[in-house]
Amino acid sequence: MAKATVKGKYDVEKNAGSAVATVAFYAGDVRLKASVTDATVVKGPSLNGLVLSVEKPGTFILDCDVPRKDFRFQFMNTVKVLEKPLSLTYIHFHAPNRTTMDGTLTFDPANKVSCNYAFGTGNFRVKYAYAHGSLRRTVFEPTYDFSKGAWDFAVSRKFEGDDTVRASYETSRKNLKLEWSRDTKVNGIFKIGASVDMAEEQKTPKLVAESTWNFDLL
């Protein structure tokens, strides 16, 4: 089985667009992927933007950035803590020698806590997610960044059909974001986002549009 994904993004403020195309092949329980960007073909075929990946879903991912000769290792595992699932993700970036650890403890379908720690930097973030209602379509996500001593807040709402609206605010950067997305099996994913720097005198929204299409090749 082989699948292809094409993602296009357009930044209105920069009047510039970008694109990423990914082809994935399945060999048993392992997935092989190759990704290219517009930089790979815009000035003739080159290795710019080429990333090769080997992935076993739920276990590990190995990414190789070919032009930069850089590697990223990611390992995933789930253990039980007081009969609750704790999902752990370990990520190491070879060239910058940077390592992060993510953990998510799910108490029930409506409540979970996530942590992110970057080794060597002291950056530590804790996020609580609460899905409200019997259908859990509204999700509240307060986050505390210990390195900045600041809170971030986000709320999202999934409507009947395929539409989702999400609003977030970063208190340390005074950045307000609003995002609308539609996810359909026929037309793929379409997303429009707007962000405003509340610290600026002229609060001009920065708009970004993004589309993702998925195809079955074999």
Side-chain angles (χ1 to χ4, degrees):
M1 180 184 294
K3 292 187 176 183
T5 300
V6 178
K7 179 181 292 186
K9 186 176 182 179
Y10 184 75
D11 190 313
V12 176
E13 181 187 33
K14 298 179 180 178
N15 192 27
S18 61
V20 178
T22 302
V23 178
F25 300 91
Y26 293 83
D29 57 354
V30 175
R31 181 166 60 178
L32 308 176
K33 294 194 303 180
S35 300
V36 296
T37 68
D38 48 350
T40 311
V41 297
V42 70
K43 293 183 179 180
S46 68
L47 295 179
N48 293 330
L50 175 61
V51 177
L52 304 178
S53 303
V54 179
E55 174 184 356
K56 184 176 181 180
T59 304
F60 72 86
I61 300 174
L62 171 60
D63 290 334
C64 175
D65 190 319
V66 176
R68 297 179 181 177
K69 298 180 180 179
D70 189 17
F71 295 89
R72 181 180 74 99
F73 304 92
Q74 179 172 324
F75 300 95
M76 301 86 78
N77 194 14
T78 300
V79 297
K80 290 284 188 178
V81 176
L82 299 177
E83 300 302 318
K84 306 297 182 183
L86 173 62
S87 300
L88 299 172
T89 302
Y90 171 90
I91 305 174
H92 179 72
F93 299 86
H94 177 68
N97 192 25
R98 181 162 55 91
T99 302
T100 64
M101 177 70 80
D102 295 322
T104 300
L105 181 62
T106 302
F107 295 97
D108 54 50
N111 297 273
K112 62 183 178 180
V113 174
S114 303
C115 300
N116 172 267
Y117 179 73
F119 292 90
T121 66
N123 293 338
F124 182 52
R125 291 166 57 90
V126 177
K127 178 174 69 175
Y128 169 66
Y130 168 66
H132 180 70
S134 58
L135 299 178
R136 294 185 285 275
R137 289 178 175 168
T138 302
V139 180
F140 300 92
E141 297 176 303
T143 302
Y144 187 74
D145 190 323
F146 284 85
S147 61
K148 298 178 181 178
W151 286 92
D152 296 334
F153 300 94
V155 58
S156 61
R157 170 70 178 180
K158 183 175 179 60
F159 295 91
E160 290 187 9
D162 309 303
D163 297 329
T164 301
V165 175
R166 186 176 190 273
S168 62
Y169 182 70
E170 298 177 68
T171 58
S172 61
R173 299 174 56 191
K174 293 183 172 57
N175 188 265
L176 177 65
K177 294 182 180 180
L178 183 64
E179 180 181 279
W180 167 79
S181 62
R182 171 170 289 179
D183 186 352
T184 65
K185 294 182 179 180
V186 177
N187 300 316
I189 302 173
F190 181 71
K191 184 186 301 183
I192 296 178
S195 62
V196 178
D197 189 340
M198 303 302 291
E200 294 181 350
E201 292 185 6
Q202 295 183 345
K203 298 177 176 57
T204 304
K206 300 176 182 179
L207 302 177
V208 175
E210 183 179 298
S211 293
T212 303
W213 299 271
N214 298 306
F215 309 93
D216 289 327
L217 299 181
L218 297 175

